[in-house]
Amino acid sequence: MYQVQLSACTSIRPSVMLKPRMVQQSREVVQKEQRRVDHRTRVPRNENLEKLRNGYLFPEIAMREAEHLQKYPNFKLINLGIGDTTEPIPDIITSSMVEQAQALSTLEGYRGYGPEHGNKALRKAIADVVYKGLKVKDTEVFVSDGAQCDISRLQLLLGSNVTIAVQDPSFPAYIYSGVIIGQAGEFQEETGKYWNIEYMKCGPQNNLFPNLLTTSRTDVIFFCSPNNPTGHAASRNQLEQLVEFARKNGSIIIYDSAYAAYISDDNSPRSIFEIPGAREVAIEVSSFSKFAGFTGVRLGWTVVPEELLFANGFPVIKDFNRIVYTCFNGASSIAQAGGLACLSPEGLMAIRQVIDYYKENAKILIDTFELLGLKAYGGKNAPYIWVHFPGSRSWDVFDEILEKTHVVTVPGRGFGPGGEEYVRVSAFGHREIILEASKRLKNLYR
Amino acid sequence: MYQVQLSACTSIRPSVMLKPRMVQQSREVVQKEQRRVDHRTRVPRNENLEKLRNGYLFPEIAMREAEHLQKYPNFKLINLGIGDTTEPIPDIITSSMVEQAQALSTLEGYRGYGPEHGNKALRKAIADVVYKGLKVKDTEVFVSDGAQCDISRLQLLLGSNVTIAVQDPSFPAYIYSGVIIGQAGEFQEETGKYWNIEYMKCGPQNNLFPNLLTTSRTDVIFFCSPNNPTGHAASRNQLEQLVEFARKNGSIIIYDSAYAAYISDDNSPRSIFEIPGAREVAIEVSSFSKFAGFTGVRLGWTVVPEELLFANGFPVIKDFNRIVYTCFNGASSIAQAGGLACLSPEGLMAIRQVIDYYKENAKILIDTFELLGLKAYGGKNAPYIWVHFPGSRSWDVFDEILEKTHVVTVPGRGFGPGGEEYVRVSAFGHREIILEASKRLKNLYR
């Protein structure tokens, strides 16, 4: 296996670091260099990393994108692939970051390390504003540099001796981080799944929600709502079922609510903690990335309720605290100042406008696909549209759309076998770009 | 063991989340609540975390500090404990961060996700400026949110099936992250060491460098120079021995150079890559924290040379790249703008002044301890002074200094059994505070 990958890096050449200063030394030095070039450590490669079969989804897309650009240098590529925010961050938020950065150059304003788990004011604002009325304490909020990073820290918390379940399709980081920490068996080419991971199919047959009657018990259930990639925001009833299922099985739900701000539907909770009984079974991971355009600023958080206990009665929050102290050192103080501004009444109002803008984009794209006679899910409570191409392979659809319209999407297969026949289309983008994409896509089948 | 810890969190009480609306429902609801309160998941606690015996060093110090403040509310405490920078960041650097933050509110300047491994310009500046003449390529530089975070990501890279060695004393994160990932056996109370970790004693008997003749072979050697806590910058000759030792044993050195900017001694390399042959055996982790006062801004980097290979010939850089893609999402774009400014000629000049200021502090403290007849190591190539109190227990010395002078230090024992009889004193601080600390310390034995 690794030989295939090695062949891709033939450009790696050890450089010669020593230059012989005297002629009589040169042969000896050359021999020494030869030994050096040949040197391998005796350190075994991490077998968990050896299990990772596929390239990470987004780099793979970037590669195909680059090839396409080479083939069509004069066409303007439109990227509706990676879910990256495009609209400026409202002034009121960047002003706070500017102020914080400036303060760092003053004797009075300079601050070094902050608390590893985040500034008190921000923890409190998250507890009070995001979880208003839900009895989340500021001490249960751990500020981070983003949800993806926190997922890995949660995997460090859980370790290799737990079993996990994921939605199928789902954001690949849950599975990949699980493989890296050692929770998975070998990858099965025929099924496209890793051994020992429970894939909970979330197809339209079951309203994009898992069929819990046929889902095996696992220690941990990764659950994202609104789901990336399907854009489906689970209903209250669905989440009640999920919490009940976790309680019955003694499982921990790791609930990813990174897109919660996009939910308009009253019947879809924005937090798992809206569901009675969730505090004893759930951790919630979230982020300012898609909420406030902080994808590059890097800020997120995780809530671990005090009531959540391991089988031996030990509080999960205490171990997570230890992980955060040891493996992290706090989010940037400048980003945290921005996060605090996001949660002010004015910040929230300004953010709402940006979110509405992206949701209007989503509407345009949904209409486009429906005009083509395709079934498009999501987009109403999420910035993603999940388009069904019955009977087609998703990488083929990806390639066809790219070839014919110069629009980059994400092949559903990249999110698991349950994503086959679908592509994910992102609604992030300037309006004129979305309109241009819509125009091109309408001609897809002409 | 965990019961002791549990007793410390008796304040944790599940909150009642449901209110019975009708009388006939109330008994049923109360019973349901009771079940909820009693709910434990069936998820096993991570046995690696169970192995972690001691509280993390700095929270433990913070606790004693808080107790002291309660006892002496009117005394001004001086903190020479945690190695946290105190002087403002030069304007030229924060200006870049301000500019970047402002740009995020403009259509032209807004950027979302950057590359996970850092912006090209910053990677290139690190390669060209920090590693000038050492043939480090920009593609070998991975920009991060700090060295402590990268150490954990390196542990994810290495996994549980490797053996590690650490300097004794050393910064605790190497051992703790090793325990968390599963590289260590049980903690041995009698020795103060974890099974399966090689503690390389770095005492004055051997010039604060390990005796490699008596050091067992391990897969990985964590090595920090200038070392935290001893402040010792390894000499060129010592590092040549270390590289030769690693080459002979097929080991990987993880070289932490977070304090390299403090080195004045020409005979002490600032990078492991100054040593011929290091590229095949070493990874270097470093940081802007102590270099530019970025402890709260969060920025660091790791260099993984292309020539570094696992036993099976697979390039380590490829696996680390995967870890960074999966478990990280890039350092804050604002922090990266600051980092780039640090490495401009003007930035470097401004930073040099701040470093010299801290080193003058160090000189004052060294003189103070020598006046007391104590042997003080470090301080010349590092912001830490390592003071020897022969025959004393370091926590006792810590307590005595705190009680008599209201100065917080760090007990050497917190850095491993080899730190017994020592305390670490940080030279970070405003000059007037350092002078006041010096005055108080001079009276320690009166």
Side-chain angles (χ1 to χ4, degrees):
Chain A
M1 164 57 197
Y2 73 78
Q3 293 198 326
V4 177
Q5 292 178 265
L6 264 175
S7 70
C9 65
T10 46
S11 67
I12 294 180
R13 288 270 175 272
S15 57
V16 174
M17 293 180 72
L18 283 179
K19 283 181 189 155
R21 261 168 277 178
M22 287 184 283
V23 177
Q24 72 261 41
Q25 283 188 336
S26 70
R27 174 174 299 181
E28 191 187 318
V29 170
V30 167
Q31 285 172 342
K32 207 168 174 185
E33 278 315 308
Q34 197 51 49
R35 282 207 307 279
R36 192 155 293 155
V37 167
D38 294 342
H39 185 85
R40 282 183 187 190
T41 68
R42 283 160 49 199
V43 179
R45 186 180 175 207
N46 184 341
E47 55 188 24
N48 296 329
L49 282 158
E50 274 183 53
K51 281 184 192 151
L52 283 173
R53 270 305 165 93
N54 309 312
Y56 193 74
L57 176 61
F58 293 106
E60 170 68 29
I61 291 173
M63 215 176 64
R64 296 200 188 199
E65 202 180 306
E67 281 169 10
H68 183 82
L69 276 171
Q70 239 175 353
K71 191 169 163 194
Y72 300 104
N74 298 323
F75 270 92
K76 195 174 163 347
L77 201 71
I78 295 181
N79 195 333
L80 304 183
I82 191 165
D84 195 4
T85 46
T86 56
E87 300 312 295
I89 298 173
D91 258 329
I92 184 165
I93 296 162
T94 53
S95 300
S96 281
M97 297 198 276
V98 163
E99 212 174 284
Q100 173 66 24
Q102 280 169 336
L104 292 175
S105 277
T106 67
L107 259 179
E108 314 72 42
Y110 182 77
R111 294 284 178 282
Y113 288 120
E116 286 85 347
H117 33 49
N119 293 332
K120 188 79 177 168
L122 180 57
R123 299 176 86 186
K124 199 164 157 24
I126 292 170
D128 293 351
V129 178
V130 179
Y131 297 102
K132 193 175 167 186
L134 296 181
K135 298 187 180 158
V136 168
K137 297 183 191 169
D138 56 9
T139 49
E140 295 172 330
V141 177
F142 295 80
V143 176
S144 78
D145 60 333
Q148 181 160 329
C149 314
D150 260 352
I151 288 163
S152 279
R153 281 187 284 267
L154 287 166
Q155 294 286 24
L156 275 170
L157 167 86
L158 296 163
S160 57
N161 285 327
V162 299
T163 51
I164 68 168
V166 295
Q167 287 153 293
D168 181 23
S170 69
F171 182 55
Y174 313 128
I175 291 179
Y176 289 158
S177 63
V179 174
I180 288 171
I181 204 77
Q183 294 159 348
E186 294 296 333
F187 185 72
Q188 311 295 306
E189 294 291 351
E190 58 283 14
T191 59
K193 300 178 181 178
Y194 287 90
W195 261 119
N196 209 34
I197 290 181
E198 175 74 11
Y199 290 70
M200 308 184 294
K201 183 85 180 275
C202 294
Q205 312 82 350
N206 202 39
N207 295 320
L208 305 177
F209 185 77
N211 182 350
L212 297 176
L213 294 174
T214 60
T215 300
S216 299
R217 189 242 166 222
T218 56
D219 291 312
V220 179
I221 302 165
F222 283 95
F223 197 91
C224 183
S225 177
N227 192 20
N228 173 8
T230 65
H232 174 69
S235 69
R236 190 170 305 275
N237 180 267
Q238 287 177 332
L239 291 183
E240 281 168 358
Q241 288 173 43
L242 182 70
V243 167
E244 191 48 40
F245 181 74
R247 294 184 68 87
K248 196 183 69 197
N249 286 328
S251 305
I252 293 177
I253 300 166
I254 296 186
Y255 189 81
D256 185 341
S257 67
Y259 298 94
Y262 290 80
I263 296 177
S264 335
D265 190 344
D266 281 344
N267 190 38
S268 290
R270 294 189 182 194
S271 164
I272 191 69
F273 299 122
E274 291 187 35
I275 308 300
R279 286 182 59 87
E280 294 86 12
V281 297
I283 289 170
E284 184 160 309
V285 180
S286 202
S287 170
F288 286 85
S289 287
K290 314 299 165 90
F291 166 50
F294 271 34
T295 46
V297 173
R298 309 306 309 139
L299 195 68
W301 72 86
T302 288
V303 175
V304 185
E306 290 170 352
E307 292 92 325
L308 184 67
L309 307 176
F310 286 117
N312 66 357
F314 192 82
V316 175
I317 189 172
K318 289 176 77 80
D319 271 352
F320 191 61
N321 199 36
R322 188 69 188 255
I323 292 287
V324 168
Y325 269 122
T326 311
C327 306
F328 185 52
N329 225 328
S332 175
S333 57
I334 301 170
Q336 291 192 62
L340 195 57
C342 288
L343 299 175
S344 68
E346 301 78 16
L348 288 169
M349 206 145 52
I351 286 172
R352 173 54 45 204
Q353 290 181 4
V354 183
I355 289 175
D356 287 345
Y357 179 92
Y358 290 135
K359 288 178 75 175
E360 284 166 39
N361 285 349
K363 179 84 178 64
I364 293 167
L365 291 167
I366 290 173
D367 291 348
T368 305
F369 289 110
E370 289 183 345
L371 208 71
L372 286 171
L374 295 164
K375 179 82 185 143
Y377 300 92
K380 289 181 190 72
N381 296 302
Y384 297 126
I385 298 111
W386 185 238
V387 194
H388 197 187
F389 295 81
S392 298
R393 290 182 58 242
S394 68
W395 275 108
D396 292 345
V397 176
F398 168 89
D399 285 336
E400 187 186 357
I401 294 177
L402 182 60
E403 183 70 27
K404 289 193 183 163
T405 70
H406 312 283
V407 171
V408 178
T409 59
V410 185
R413 194 64 179 71
F415 300 100
E420 201 58 289
E421 301 192 351
Y422 292 83
V423 297
R424 188 193 79 175
V425 180
S426 159
F428 294 117
H430 301 323
R431 180 63 43 81
E432 66 273 20
I433 303 285
I434 298 292
L435 289 170
E436 169 65 19
S438 165
K439 203 171 109 188
R440 293 190 198 170
L441 286 164
K442 281 176 185 162
N443 290 322
L444 182 62
Y445 295 134
R446 290 224 178 131
Chain B
M1 164 57 197
Y2 73 79
Q3 293 198 326
V4 177
Q5 291 178 265
L6 265 176
S7 70
C9 65
T10 45
S11 66
I12 294 179
R13 289 270 176 272
S15 56
V16 174
M17 292 180 73
L18 283 179
K19 283 182 190 155
R21 261 168 280 178
M22 286 183 285
V23 177
Q24 72 260 41
Q25 283 189 337
S26 70
R27 176 174 297 181
E28 191 186 316
V29 170
V30 166
Q31 284 172 344
K32 207 168 174 186
E33 279 314 307
Q34 197 52 48
R35 282 207 307 281
R36 191 156 292 155
V37 166
D38 294 342
H39 185 85
R40 282 183 187 190
T41 68
R42 281 160 50 200
V43 179
R45 185 180 175 208
N46 184 342
E47 55 188 25
N48 296 329
L49 282 157
E50 274 183 52
K51 281 183 192 152
L52 283 173
R53 272 304 165 93
N54 309 312
Y56 192 76
L57 176 61
F58 293 107
E60 171 68 28
I61 291 171
M63 215 176 63
R64 296 200 187 199
E65 203 179 306
E67 282 169 10
H68 183 82
L69 277 171
Q70 242 177 350
K71 190 169 162 193
Y72 299 105
N74 298 322
F75 270 92
K76 195 176 164 342
L77 203 70
I78 295 180
N79 195 334
L80 305 183
I82 191 166
D84 194 5
T85 46
T86 56
E87 299 311 296
I89 299 172
D91 259 328
I92 184 166
I93 297 162
T94 52
S95 302
S96 282
M97 297 199 276
V98 164
E99 212 174 284
Q100 174 66 24
Q102 279 168 337
L104 293 175
S105 277
T106 66
L107 260 178
E108 315 72 42
Y110 182 79
R111 294 284 178 283
Y113 289 120
E116 286 85 349
H117 33 50
N119 293 331
K120 188 79 177 167
L122 179 56
R123 299 175 87 187
K124 200 164 156 26
I126 292 170
D128 293 352
V129 178
V130 179
Y131 297 103
K132 192 175 167 187
L134 296 181
K135 297 186 180 158
V136 169
K137 297 182 191 170
D138 56 9
T139 49
E140 296 171 329
V141 177
F142 295 80
V143 176
S144 78
D145 59 334
Q148 181 160 331
C149 314
D150 260 353
I151 288 163
S152 278
R153 282 187 283 269
L154 286 166
Q155 294 285 25
L156 276 170
L157 167 86
L158 296 163
S160 58
N161 285 327
V162 299
T163 51
I164 67 168
V166 295
Q167 287 154 293
D168 181 24
S170 69
F171 182 53
Y174 313 127
I175 291 178
Y176 289 158
S177 62
V179 174
I180 288 171
I181 204 77
Q183 294 159 348
E186 294 296 332
F187 184 72
Q188 312 293 306
E189 294 291 351
E190 58 282 16
T191 60
K193 299 177 181 179
Y194 287 92
W195 261 119
N196 209 33
I197 290 182
E198 175 75 11
Y199 289 71
M200 307 184 293
K201 183 85 179 274
C202 294
Q205 312 82 350
N206 202 39
N207 294 320
L208 305 177
F209 185 76
N211 182 350
L212 297 175
L213 295 173
T214 60
T215 301
S216 299
R217 189 242 166 223
T218 56
D219 291 312
V220 179
I221 301 165
F222 283 96
F223 196 92
C224 182
S225 178
N227 191 20
N228 173 8
T230 65
H232 175 69
S235 68
R236 188 170 306 275
N237 180 266
Q238 287 176 333
L239 291 183
E240 280 168 359
Q241 289 173 42
L242 182 70
V243 166
E244 191 49 40
F245 181 74
R247 294 184 68 88
K248 197 183 69 198
N249 287 328
S251 306
I252 292 177
I253 299 165
I254 296 187
Y255 189 82
D256 185 341
S257 67
Y259 297 94
Y262 289 81
I263 296 177
S264 335
D265 190 344
D266 281 345
N267 190 38
S268 291
R270 295 189 180 192
S271 164
I272 191 69
F273 299 121
E274 291 187 36
I275 309 299
R279 285 182 60 86
E280 294 85 13
V281 296
I283 289 170
E284 184 161 309
V285 180
S286 202
S287 171
F288 286 86
S289 287
K290 314 299 164 91
F291 165 50
F294 271 33
T295 46
V297 173
R298 309 305 310 140
L299 195 68
W301 72 86
T302 288
V303 175
V304 185
E306 291 170 351
E307 293 91 325
L308 184 67
L309 308 176
F310 286 117
N312 65 358
F314 192 81
V316 174
I317 190 172
K318 289 176 78 79
D319 272 350
F320 191 61
N321 199 36
R322 187 69 188 256
I323 291 287
V324 169
Y325 269 122
T326 311
C327 307
F328 185 53
N329 225 329
S332 175
S333 58
I334 301 170
Q336 290 193 61
L340 196 57
C342 288
L343 299 175
S344 69
E346 301 77 16
L348 287 170
M349 206 145 51
I351 285 172
R352 174 52 46 203
Q353 291 180 4
V354 183
I355 289 175
D356 287 345
Y357 179 92
Y358 291 134
K359 288 178 74 174
E360 284 165 39
N361 285 350
K363 179 82 178 63
I364 292 167
L365 291 168
I366 290 173
D367 291 348
T368 305
F369 289 110
E370 289 184 345
L371 209 71
L372 287 170
L374 295 164
K375 180 80 186 145
Y377 299 93
K380 290 179 190 74
N381 297 302
Y384 297 126
I385 299 111
W386 185 238
V387 194
H388 196 187
F389 295 81
S392 299
R393 290 182 59 241
S394 68
W395 274 108
D396 292 345
V397 176
F398 168 88
D399 285 336
E400 186 186 357
I401 294 176
L402 181 59
E403 182 69 25
K404 289 193 183 165
T405 70
H406 312 283
V407 171
V408 178
T409 59
V410 185
R413 195 64 179 72
F415 300 101
E420 201 58 288
E421 301 193 350
Y422 292 83
V423 297
R424 188 193 80 175
V425 180
S426 158
F428 294 118
H430 300 324
R431 181 63 43 80
E432 66 273 19
I433 303 284
I434 298 292
L435 289 170
E436 169 65 19
S438 165
K439 204 172 108 188
R440 292 191 198 170
L441 286 165
K442 281 176 185 162
N443 290 322
L444 181 63
Y445 294 135
R446 289 226 177 129

